[in-house]
Amino acid sequence: EPEVTQTPSHQVTQMGQEVILRCVPISNHLYFYWYRQILGQKVEFLVSFYNNEISEKSEIFDDQFSVERPDGSNFTLKIRSTKLEDSAMYFCASSLARRGDGTGELFFGEGSRLTVL
Amino acid sequence: DAKTTQPTSMDCAEGRAANLPCNHSTISGNEYVYWYRQIHSQGPQYIIHGLKNNETNEMASLIITEDRKSSTLILPHATLRDTAVYYCIVIRQGAQKLVFGQGTRLTINP
Protein backbone atom coordinates (compact mmCIF):
# COMPACT_ATOMS: atom_id res chain seq x y z
CA GLU A 1 0.00 0.00 0.00
CA PRO A 2 1.42 3.43 -0.90
CA GLU A 3 2.50 5.55 2.02
CA VAL A 4 3.85 8.96 2.93
CA THR A 5 7.45 8.75 4.11
CA GLN A 6 9.24 11.30 6.26
CA THR A 7 12.87 11.88 7.14
CA PRO A 8 14.49 12.19 9.55
CA SER A 9 12.48 10.31 12.14
CA HIS A 10 14.16 12.32 14.88
CA GLN A 11 16.32 15.42 14.73
CA VAL A 12 18.01 17.22 17.58
CA THR A 13 19.16 20.76 16.92
CA GLN A 14 20.42 23.81 18.75
CA MET A 15 18.21 26.86 19.11
CA GLY A 16 18.73 29.25 16.21
CA GLN A 17 19.76 26.56 13.74
CA GLU A 18 17.95 25.89 10.48
CA VAL A 19 16.14 22.61 10.08
CA ILE A 20 14.71 20.96 6.98
CA LEU A 21 12.19 18.17 7.34
CA ARG A 22 11.57 16.05 4.30
CA CYS A 23 8.54 14.23 3.05
CA VAL A 24 7.79 12.04 0.06
CA PRO A 25 4.03 12.18 -0.53
CA ILE A 26 2.12 9.45 -2.32
CA SER A 27 3.04 9.71 -5.97
CA ASN A 28 -0.27 10.62 -7.60
CA HIS A 29 -1.43 12.95 -4.85
CA LEU A 30 -1.92 16.62 -5.55
CA TYR A 31 -2.40 18.26 -2.14
CA PHE A 32 0.28 18.36 0.49
CA TYR A 33 0.17 19.39 4.13
CA TRP A 34 2.25 19.87 7.22
CA TYR A 35 0.81 19.44 10.70
CA ARG A 36 2.56 19.46 14.03
CA GLN A 37 1.87 18.05 17.47
CA ILE A 38 3.57 19.38 20.56
CA LEU A 39 3.93 16.63 23.16
CA GLY A 40 0.63 16.04 24.93
CA GLN A 41 -1.26 18.56 22.81
CA LYS A 42 -3.55 18.53 19.78
CA VAL A 43 -2.53 17.95 16.20
CA GLU A 44 -2.32 21.42 14.62
CA PHE A 45 -2.54 22.43 10.98
CA LEU A 46 0.43 24.39 9.65
CA VAL A 47 0.11 24.70 5.88
CA SER A 48 -1.42 23.25 2.75
CA PHE A 49 0.22 23.28 -0.66
CA TYR A 50 -1.25 22.79 -4.09
CA ASN A 51 -0.05 23.48 -7.61
CA ASN A 52 3.34 24.63 -6.35
CA GLU A 53 2.06 27.25 -4.00
CA ILE A 54 0.71 27.64 -0.51
CA SER A 55 -3.06 27.45 -0.55
CA GLU A 56 -3.67 27.98 3.16
CA LYS A 57 -1.59 28.52 6.27
CA SER A 58 -2.23 28.89 9.96
CA GLU A 59 -1.08 31.59 12.35
CA ILE A 60 1.66 29.25 13.51
CA PHE A 61 3.19 29.27 10.05
CA ASP A 62 5.05 32.56 10.34
CA ASP A 63 8.05 33.90 8.44
CA GLN A 64 10.33 31.37 10.12
CA PHE A 65 8.61 28.59 8.21
CA SER A 66 8.69 27.81 4.51
CA VAL A 67 7.69 24.90 2.32
CA GLU A 68 8.97 23.79 -1.00
CA ARG A 69 8.46 21.06 -3.54
CA PRO A 70 11.91 21.13 -5.12
CA ASP A 71 11.31 18.24 -7.49
CA GLY A 72 8.49 15.93 -8.46
CA SER A 73 8.65 13.83 -5.35
CA ASN A 74 9.86 15.69 -2.27
CA PHE A 75 7.96 18.15 -0.11
CA THR A 76 10.00 19.97 2.51
CA LEU A 77 9.36 22.08 5.57
CA LYS A 78 12.11 24.49 6.54
CA ILE A 79 12.34 26.21 9.89
CA ARG A 80 14.79 29.06 9.46
CA SER A 81 15.85 29.74 13.02
CA THR A 82 14.51 27.19 15.44
CA LYS A 83 13.12 28.13 18.85
CA LEU A 84 12.60 25.96 21.89
CA GLU A 85 8.85 26.02 21.28
CA ASP A 86 9.31 24.47 17.84
CA SER A 87 10.01 21.15 19.54
CA ALA A 88 7.24 18.89 18.32
CA MET A 89 6.32 16.00 16.08
CA TYR A 90 5.85 17.22 12.53
CA PHE A 91 3.53 15.26 10.28
CA CYS A 92 3.40 15.47 6.53
CA ALA A 93 0.20 14.46 4.75
CA SER A 94 -1.04 14.23 1.19
CA SER A 95 -4.36 13.75 -0.51
CA LEU A 96 -5.41 12.83 -3.99
CA ALA A 97 -7.75 15.66 -4.74
CA ARG A 98 -10.14 18.14 -3.27
CA ARG A 99 -13.20 16.25 -4.34
CA GLY A 100 -16.72 17.38 -3.78
CA ASP A 101 -16.78 15.52 -0.50
CA GLY A 102 -14.54 17.83 1.46
CA THR A 103 -10.80 17.37 1.75
CA GLY A 104 -10.95 13.74 0.87
CA GLU A 105 -8.86 11.27 2.72
CA LEU A 106 -5.54 12.55 4.04
CA PHE A 107 -2.68 10.12 4.30
CA PHE A 108 -0.23 11.00 7.06
CA GLY A 109 3.38 10.03 7.44
CA GLU A 110 4.83 8.65 10.65
CA GLY A 111 6.23 12.02 11.62
CA SER A 112 9.56 13.67 12.29
CA ARG A 113 10.30 14.43 15.91
CA LEU A 114 12.15 17.72 16.29
CA THR A 115 13.91 18.50 19.54
CA VAL A 116 15.32 22.00 19.95
CA LEU A 117 17.85 22.45 22.74
CA ASP B 1 -16.40 24.43 10.70
CA ALA B 2 -18.80 23.11 13.30
CA LYS B 3 -17.47 22.26 16.74
CA THR B 4 -17.54 18.65 17.90
CA THR B 5 -17.83 17.20 21.38
CA GLN B 6 -16.49 13.77 22.27
CA PRO B 7 -16.01 11.94 25.57
CA THR B 8 -12.48 12.23 26.85
CA SER B 9 -12.00 8.50 27.27
CA MET B 10 -13.73 5.16 26.85
CA ASP B 11 -12.97 1.53 27.56
CA CYS B 12 -14.08 -1.53 25.64
CA ALA B 13 -13.44 -5.23 25.98
CA GLU B 14 -11.54 -6.99 23.24
CA GLY B 15 -13.88 -8.65 20.75
CA ARG B 16 -16.81 -6.41 21.61
CA ALA B 17 -18.15 -3.56 19.53
CA ALA B 18 -16.74 -0.15 20.40
CA ASN B 19 -19.23 2.67 19.94
CA LEU B 20 -17.73 6.14 19.97
CA PRO B 21 -20.16 9.05 20.07
CA CYS B 22 -19.70 12.54 18.69
CA ASN B 23 -21.94 15.57 19.00
CA HIS B 24 -21.93 18.20 16.26
CA SER B 25 -25.15 20.07 16.87
CA THR B 26 -24.14 23.12 14.82
CA ILE B 27 -23.27 21.18 11.69
CA SER B 28 -24.24 22.81 8.40
CA GLY B 29 -25.73 21.19 5.35
CA ASN B 30 -22.46 21.18 3.41
CA GLU B 31 -20.32 19.82 6.23
CA TYR B 32 -19.07 16.26 6.38
CA VAL B 33 -18.27 14.11 9.39
CA TYR B 34 -14.80 12.58 9.29
CA TRP B 35 -13.19 10.16 11.70
CA TYR B 36 -9.47 9.73 12.14
CA ARG B 37 -7.47 7.93 14.79
CA GLN B 38 -3.97 8.25 16.17
CA ILE B 39 -2.27 5.21 17.58
CA HIS B 40 0.27 6.27 20.21
CA SER B 41 2.41 8.95 18.55
CA GLN B 42 1.97 7.77 14.98
CA GLY B 43 0.49 9.90 12.24
CA PRO B 44 -3.31 10.20 12.21
CA GLN B 45 -5.07 7.55 10.17
CA TYR B 46 -8.26 8.11 8.20
CA ILE B 47 -11.10 5.78 9.18
CA ILE B 48 -14.32 6.83 7.49
CA HIS B 49 -16.47 9.81 6.58
CA GLY B 50 -20.07 10.60 5.71
CA LEU B 51 -22.53 13.36 4.92
CA LYS B 52 -25.93 12.09 5.98
CA ASN B 53 -26.18 8.42 5.11
CA ASN B 54 -24.70 5.68 7.22
CA GLU B 55 -21.40 4.42 5.88
CA THR B 56 -19.43 1.21 6.29
CA ASN B 57 -15.97 0.18 5.20
CA GLU B 58 -13.49 -2.50 6.16
CA MET B 59 -12.49 -0.62 9.31
CA ALA B 60 -15.69 0.71 10.78
CA SER B 61 -19.27 1.87 10.42
CA LEU B 62 -20.48 5.44 10.77
CA ILE B 63 -24.01 6.10 11.93
CA ILE B 64 -25.26 9.67 11.49
CA THR B 65 -28.54 10.68 13.09
CA GLU B 66 -31.30 11.94 10.85
CA ASP B 67 -30.93 15.51 12.08
CA ARG B 68 -27.13 15.14 11.62
CA LYS B 69 -26.46 16.62 15.04
CA SER B 70 -24.59 13.57 16.26
CA SER B 71 -22.87 10.48 14.98
CA THR B 72 -21.40 7.22 16.23
CA LEU B 73 -18.33 5.42 15.02
CA ILE B 74 -18.60 1.68 15.46
CA LEU B 75 -15.65 -0.68 15.52
CA PRO B 76 -17.52 -3.99 15.26
CA HIS B 77 -14.97 -6.33 16.84
CA ALA B 78 -12.41 -4.29 18.70
CA THR B 79 -8.87 -5.61 19.03
CA LEU B 80 -6.00 -4.46 21.22
CA ARG B 81 -4.55 -2.70 18.18
CA ASP B 82 -7.60 -0.42 18.10
CA THR B 83 -6.38 1.31 21.25
CA ALA B 84 -5.92 4.89 20.07
CA VAL B 85 -7.23 8.44 20.22
CA TYR B 86 -10.23 8.81 17.91
CA TYR B 87 -11.04 12.18 16.39
CA CYS B 88 -14.41 13.25 15.06
CA ILE B 89 -13.95 16.18 12.68
CA VAL B 90 -16.61 18.19 10.90
CA ILE B 91 -15.40 19.87 7.77
CA ARG B 92 -17.18 21.78 5.05
CA GLN B 93 -17.12 20.72 1.45
CA GLY B 94 -14.01 21.96 -0.28
CA ALA B 95 -12.17 22.97 2.89
CA GLN B 96 -8.51 22.23 3.04
CA LYS B 97 -7.55 21.70 6.61
CA LEU B 98 -8.51 19.30 9.35
CA VAL B 99 -9.03 20.81 12.79
CA PHE B 100 -8.25 18.21 15.42
CA GLY B 101 -9.79 18.40 18.87
CA GLN B 102 -8.77 16.37 21.90
CA GLY B 103 -10.60 13.27 20.66
CA THR B 104 -11.62 10.20 22.62
CA ARG B 105 -8.92 7.99 24.07
CA LEU B 106 -10.23 4.47 23.49
CA THR B 107 -8.63 1.68 25.45
CA ILE B 108 -9.33 -1.90 24.43
CA ASN B 109 -8.90 -4.25 27.36
CA PRO B 110 -8.04 -7.95 27.05
Side-chain angles (χ1 to χ4, degrees):
Chain A
E1 184 175 313
E3 59 181 16
V4 175
T5 57
Q6 292 186 240
T7 54
S9 57
H10 188 192
Q11 180 156 358
V12 180
T13 190
Q14 294 291 325
M15 189 169 56
Q17 295 296 304
E18 176 182 285
V19 160
I20 297 177
L21 305 178
R22 292 180 169 80
C23 169
V24 179
I26 294 173
S27 62
N28 63 338
H29 283 190
L30 302 175
Y31 291 83
F32 314 110
Y33 310 84
W34 283 101
Y35 286 75
R36 81 172 185 189
Q37 186 173 31
I38 295 170
L39 186 63
Q41 298 188 22
K42 302 177 189 178
V43 178
E44 302 174 289
F45 169 81
L46 292 179
V47 66
S48 59
F49 191 86
Y50 171 71
N51 200 26
N52 283 321
E53 60 182 22
I54 291 173
S55 47
E56 188 172 353
K57 60 183 181 179
S58 71
E59 293 176 351
I60 303 168
F61 195 88
D62 61 21
D63 292 343
Q64 294 297 313
F65 291 88
S66 62
V67 289
E68 192 177 36
R69 188 157 162 80
D71 53 42
S73 60
N74 291 286
F75 180 51
T76 62
L77 174 69
K78 182 192 292 187
I79 308 174
R80 204 179 330 276
S81 177
T82 51
K83 303 188 283 286
L84 295 176
E85 53 265 38
D86 293 327
S87 294
M89 182 74 91
Y90 288 81
F91 295 108
C92 174
S94 67
S95 68
L96 180 58
R98 184 170 53 180
R99 304 192 300 261
D101 58 350
T103 66
E105 175 183 347
L106 264 64
F107 291 79
F108 285 81
E110 289 302 300
S112 292
R113 180 170 298 285
L114 175 65
T115 302
V116 182
L117 302 177
Chain B
D1 296 325
K3 181 176 165 55
T4 63
T5 304
Q6 299 178 251
T8 303
S9 63
M10 293 183 63
D11 284 86
C12 180
E14 187 179 18
R16 305 299 292 268
N19 297 282
L20 293 93
C22 179
N23 285 319
H24 32 79
S25 58
T26 60
I27 193 170
S28 300
N30 66 345
E31 289 181 320
Y32 291 75
V33 181
Y34 276 76
W35 284 84
Y36 281 77
R37 72 180 182 183
Q38 187 176 26
I39 297 172
H40 193 45
S41 295
Q42 297 177 21
Q45 178 190 23
Y46 166 83
I47 301 173
I48 199 167
H49 76 279
L51 180 63
K52 52 185 177 182
N53 297 321
N54 297 337
E55 302 288 345
T56 295
N57 63 19
E58 65 279 4
M59 288 182 68
S61 294
L62 174 60
I63 308 298
I64 302 175
T65 58
E66 195 168 336
D67 63 8
R68 302 211 317 128
K69 293 185 177 182
S70 66
S71 60
T72 301
L73 177 75
I74 301 172
L75 308 178
H77 305 288
T79 71
L80 298 179
R81 288 176 296 179
D82 292 321
T83 292
V85 178
Y86 287 77
Y87 300 99
C88 170
I89 300 171
V90 169
I91 185 164
R92 62 177 171 79
Q93 180 179 338
Q96 296 211 34
K97 69 182 185 186
L98 300 175
V99 178
F100 289 84
Q102 296 289 0
T104 295
R105 183 171 298 278
L106 175 67
T107 302
I108 306 300
N109 299 307

